[in-house]
Amino acid sequence: MTKIIVVGGGAGGLELATKLGRTLGRKKRAQITLVDRKASHLWKPLLHEVATGSLDEGVDALSYRAHAKNHYFDFQMGSLNDIDRERKVIALSEFKDDHGELLMPSRELEYDILVMALGSTSNDFNTPGVRDNCIFLDSPEQAHRFRTEMNNQFLKLHAKNGQGTVDIAIVGAGATGVELSAELHNAVKELRTYGFGDLDSSKLNVNLIEAGERILPALPPRISSAAHSELTKLGVNVRTNTMVTQADADGLTTKDGDKIPAQIMVWAAGIKAPDFMKDIGGLETNRINQLVVKNTLQTTLDDNIFAIGDLAQCTQADGSFVPPRAQAAHQMASCAFSNIIAKLNGRDLKDYIYKDKGSLVSLSRFSTVGSLMGNLTKGSMMVEGRIARIVYISLYRMHQMALHGLIKTSLMMLVGRINRVLRPNLKLH
């Protein structure tokens, strides 16, 4: 039986393992295994909501083991250590608990087809002090850390009868930085209704710092401008053309020598593939450790190994690279699925072509801005407000549909509406 291993249970990896399980695993045509070092999955674009407490990850997180059982694939918990392409095995590191006790020994898994979907981590560009003093909003654990520190700072302020401010600096004005900035002001608004009557937006000092000329540099200027305007209205101090050269315990230092004081610092200035991916298994990687792939999403040096999502450097027809977005991971998962089926059946593989559906940025409950692209719009159409919010939410629903199908996703939406009545608007613990 053909053995297919998917390493990484992010948006693309989990969708792919689910599709393969439903088609090949269910009919016993292949043995599908998903490998991830975590026990549960949370859609990465939601992390800024987890960080502020707007989203309860205990409700939205998905258990890999339970999902695997329901969709005819196996789940192995572990961290990838190496790939032996000659023997067609991957090596997983031993797994220990927080006390250093061995939970799972190091082990090897055989594969016929391997799909690498490990995603990305934050790139600090070796800026001094960032690793020690900043929070990277690239995992649920980091989101929990932010929420704990944020709540502690608000409690300290409350104990002082509202004297002073909570200073938060966010480096990087991409989607994560912009959405977190807005979500923080929503958190303050909600906290006022839960016993923090002396707290308002004037007590929250958010600096959003961008080295480039404008925020949301990957999006069209008109969307960037609209988001900039909305953030300024909320009270966010947006600082463009500002490069951070050092992070200390009490704040950030810029290239111009300015000091930006902050009790909490978030680094969201760029991404890279995990460092251990560099030249793993003798495969071709780029300067940020991504696996270089052909248009079929197969790695350049091994047709039995695919790479999708943020981990893949995939070149488009115009010479640019496919951007690291959730929609790209979703599309790559579908293409990799089709190509794996074609490969097993001896048919030709199709090239992956990135289709930009547009971009949306949520400014919490205050606004949503973005652009939609497609046949109906004949190019790009800017949207904002309620329509944009509905489309933004639908992106997550599409991810849930890919994992659970229509009926379960509909039930989840119903439960979500019920929880809005039963649960507080903000996770307070």
Side-chain angles (χ1 to χ4, degrees), residues 226-240:
H228 192 136
S229 176
E230 291 289 341
L231 289 176
T232 303
K233 287 177 188 175
L234 289 177
V236 176
N237 183 20
V238 181
R239 304 173 65 138
T240 54

Side-chain angles (χ1 to χ4, degrees), residues 127-128 130 171 209-212 239-248 251-260 267:
T127 307
V130 169
V171 183
I209 305 158
E210 169 60 41
R239 304 173 65 138
T240 54
N241 293 309
T242 305
M243 181 175 287
V244 173
T245 55
Q246 186 169 325
D248 300 300
L252 303 167
T253 303
T254 71
K255 189 176 181 180
D256 297 331
D258 294 336
K259 182 79 173 185
I260 302 174
W267 189 271

Side-chain angles (χ1 to χ4, degrees), residues 310-349:
D310 292 2
L311 192 68
Q313 177 191 292
C314 185
T315 306
Q316 301 184 80
D318 62 0
S320 63
F321 299 130
V322 174
R325 294 182 185 170
Q327 62 174 305
H330 172 76
Q331 293 172 24
M332 284 181 170
S334 296
C335 180
F337 170 76
S338 299
N339 280 348
I340 288 171
I341 299 295
K343 184 176 174 63
L344 293 178
N345 292 327
R347 300 198 307 265
D348 292 337
L349 278 61

